[in-house]
Amino acid sequence: MVIEDSDGHRSRRDRLPPRRVPILYFGCAHFGLLLALAVIALHPVEMSGFFYQPRAFAVVHLITLGWISGSILGSLYVVGPLALRTPMPEGRADLLAFALFVVGVAGMAGHFWIGEYAGLAWSSGSAIAGIGIVAARCLPRIARAPIPAAVKAHVVLAFVNVLATGLFGLLLGLDRVAPFMAWEPLDRAYAHAHLAALGWAVMMVIGVGYRLIPMLLPSPMPRGASLLATAVLVQIGAAGLFWCFLARYPLLPVFAIAGAGGLLAFILQIRWMLKRPRRPPAGLRRPDYGVRHALQAIGYAALCAAIGVGLSIWPRTDASLRVAGVYGILGLIGFLARIVVGVEGRILPMFASVRSNLDRGACVPAPDPHRMADRRVEITAYYGWTLGIPVLATGFLVQAPWLLGTGAVVLLAAAGLGAFNTARILRHAFPRAGRSGSISTVSFPEP
């Protein structure tokens, strides 16, 4: 897509990614991930026990809200204009949303860590308010965007589910102070976790992935009714699992299969894309470690779907609870956290290049997005993630704190290297020379 200089200079800028808000979200997300892995590395004995305990919840929320949700929200400001054809101009409301989100995440993780539950409700409310502002800003623009209705359905359902998850979490926080819920604590935790992970994160990854993954491979865009089928199956799975965990209804395996079916349909679409490769952009370095991260994450998604279906028919025992912990690790870190790593590895250079081109001016050459990251750091981080995830999961499965701690240290090193490369890439988003804003042409890949 090429945007020519014209009298509509401001509207042209509004159709490109803003600079401050996505960088703020990405910075917060990396901090949350590094802090979570550092806690596991420093407290492996505590983290290797039964996962239903406050400090484990603090770590989980740093990963789910801090890293995964923070990265999703930041990415919307980048992939909205670049892949979803949705302008996301930055305003005061966006900065307010970020502040509310960060206060909410910090409040939840902090209060879980110190065991003071009185602050959980207001922390949840703060995070919900932040996400709600982003939803209010994003959804009307998504509705008008010239993209397939199935993609819109995924994004809309994802926001509906995350707001429902947040409201339920607020009620759980109130119940911690003045109990009023009749459901078993573990059932409530499972219901909350599946609505968040499947209904929010997985739904958003699939919906945006249908537009973004073909740009990254590259390949043709998938189309047709099968795209809507994934939204329907994942939504049925997320809502049904939430209901069955709370009601102790015997249809749990049916909804687990529905959710797994949605993931399988998405994986088949990726297989279709891989079989129809297009010529990669000039200068792209091979192998492409961003795509490799994403493909490994998809592999973990398939494994988690199989484990989840198995757990839905396995009576609750000590062994099944350990496997459930592994299921959570592979789902949150192996699939969702890992696919964020892979996607960021490709979209952040694109974002930095577009911002650099816009801000420097046509008289200054834009940096090559494929040369922004340090290649040695990129390779080391990739193998750190590849090694660390199975070690971490195995340590939890066999209840070996030293192994769990080793996996956390390896992942912490990999995440730290990734944060270094992210900072190295994002520095290009700030102008250094040239006539700021006086460009004649801005170009970026057409989805």
Side-chain angles (χ1 to χ4, degrees):
M1 179 176 180
V2 178
I3 304 174
E4 298 295 339
D5 198 5
S6 66
D7 293 336
H9 181 70
R10 180 176 180 82
S11 64
R12 175 172 43 119
R13 281 178 173 269
D14 288 346
R15 293 196 298 271
L16 294 170
R19 180 169 48 224
R20 286 182 300 177
V21 171
I23 289 178
L24 288 172
Y25 276 112
F26 292 136
C28 169
H30 278 279
F31 179 78
L33 178 63
L34 291 170
L35 182 57
L37 294 173
V39 168
I40 300 173
L42 292 172
H43 301 274
V45 175
E46 193 171 358
M47 293 298 120
S48 64
F50 182 42
F51 56 82
Y52 192 87
Q53 48 102 356
R55 292 196 167 182
F57 288 159
V59 171
V60 167
H61 281 82
L62 284 172
I63 295 173
T64 56
L65 275 175
W67 171 243
I68 297 172
S69 296
S71 296
I72 288 174
L73 295 174
S75 297
L76 282 174
Y77 288 89
V78 178
V79 302
L82 298 184
L84 300 179
R85 299 181 181 179
T86 303
M88 292 289 290
E90 178 185 299
R92 292 181 180 178
D94 301 286
L95 296 173
L96 174 62
F98 169 76
L100 289 169
F101 175 76
V102 170
V103 168
V105 175
M108 275 186 277
H111 284 94
F112 270 124
W113 186 260
I114 64 177
E116 289 290 339
Y117 302 127
L120 290 177
W122 71 257
S123 299
S124 298
S126 180
I128 294 167
I131 296 173
I133 291 173
V134 177
R137 301 272 289 166
C138 176
L139 292 183
R141 296 184 174 98
I142 286 286
R144 297 190 297 269
I147 57 176
V151 175
K152 299 179 184 182
H154 284 84
V155 177
V156 171
L157 288 171
F159 272 114
V160 169
N161 289 329
V162 72
L163 293 175
T165 301
L167 289 172
F168 187 69
L170 190 153
L171 294 176
L172 291 177
L174 293 174
D175 181 77
R176 289 269 187 168
V177 179
F180 62 90
M181 291 184 172
W183 304 303
E184 291 293 326
L186 196 56
D187 293 327
R188 296 181 311 202
Y190 283 157
H192 182 66
H194 281 82
L195 188 59
L198 193 58
W200 159 239
V202 173
M203 185 76 78
M204 187 67 80
V205 164
I206 293 176
V208 175
Y210 280 141
R211 298 290 294 175
L212 191 59
I213 292 176
M215 295 173 61
L216 304 184
L217 290 175
S219 73
M221 294 281 176
R223 301 184 184 279
S226 59
L227 304 190
L228 187 59
T230 59
V232 172
L233 287 170
V234 171
Q235 185 61 31
I236 290 173
L241 289 172
F242 179 82
W243 173 57
C244 284
F245 278 122
L246 295 181
R248 286 290 186 97
Y249 207 71
L251 289 178
L252 191 68
V254 174
F255 293 110
I257 291 171
L263 273 172
L264 178 60
F266 176 56
I267 292 169
L268 291 176
Q269 290 288 353
I270 293 177
R271 182 171 177 268
W272 180 88
M273 298 177 210
L274 290 170
K275 285 188 170 184
R276 293 162 177 81
R278 288 181 173 174
R279 179 176 297 178
L284 180 64
R285 293 186 286 193
R286 296 292 188 180
D288 182 346
Y289 286 99
V291 170
R292 284 194 172 191
H293 276 293
L295 293 179
Q296 278 202 19
I298 297 301
Y300 279 116
L303 179 59
C304 285
I307 295 174
V309 172
L311 286 170
S312 70
I313 59 177
W314 191 353
R316 196 170 291 175
T317 63
D318 289 342
S320 70
L321 288 175
R322 286 201 303 275
V323 174
V326 173
Y327 166 70
I329 289 171
L330 296 181
L332 293 180
I333 301 179
F335 172 34
L336 294 172
R338 188 77 183 280
I339 202 165
V340 168
V341 172
V343 169
E344 279 194 4
R346 288 293 304 277
I347 68 167
L348 290 187
M350 187 189 305
F351 162 71
S353 180
V354 168
R355 286 304 319 184
S356 176
N357 200 339
L358 176 66
D359 294 322
R360 288 168 181 256
C363 58
V364 179
D368 182 355
H370 306 304
R371 295 293 184 271
M372 290 180 179
D374 186 298
R375 186 65 167 175
R376 292 168 298 180
V377 170
E378 188 179 40
I379 293 171
T380 306
Y382 169 79
Y383 286 107
W385 279 96
T386 301
L387 174 64
I389 292 171
V391 172
L392 187 77
T394 302
F396 188 90
L397 179 64
V398 301
Q399 297 291 284
W402 70 270
L403 198 57
L404 186 76
T406 300
V409 168
V410 173
L411 287 173
L412 179 61
L417 292 172
F420 169 82
N421 251 350
T422 295
R424 181 184 173 95
I425 292 167
L426 290 179
R427 68 190 174 96
H428 292 286
F430 294 88
R432 294 184 181 181
R435 295 171 287 108
S436 178
S438 59
I439 60 172
S440 60
T441 302
V442 173
S443 60
F444 51 85
E446 177 70 31

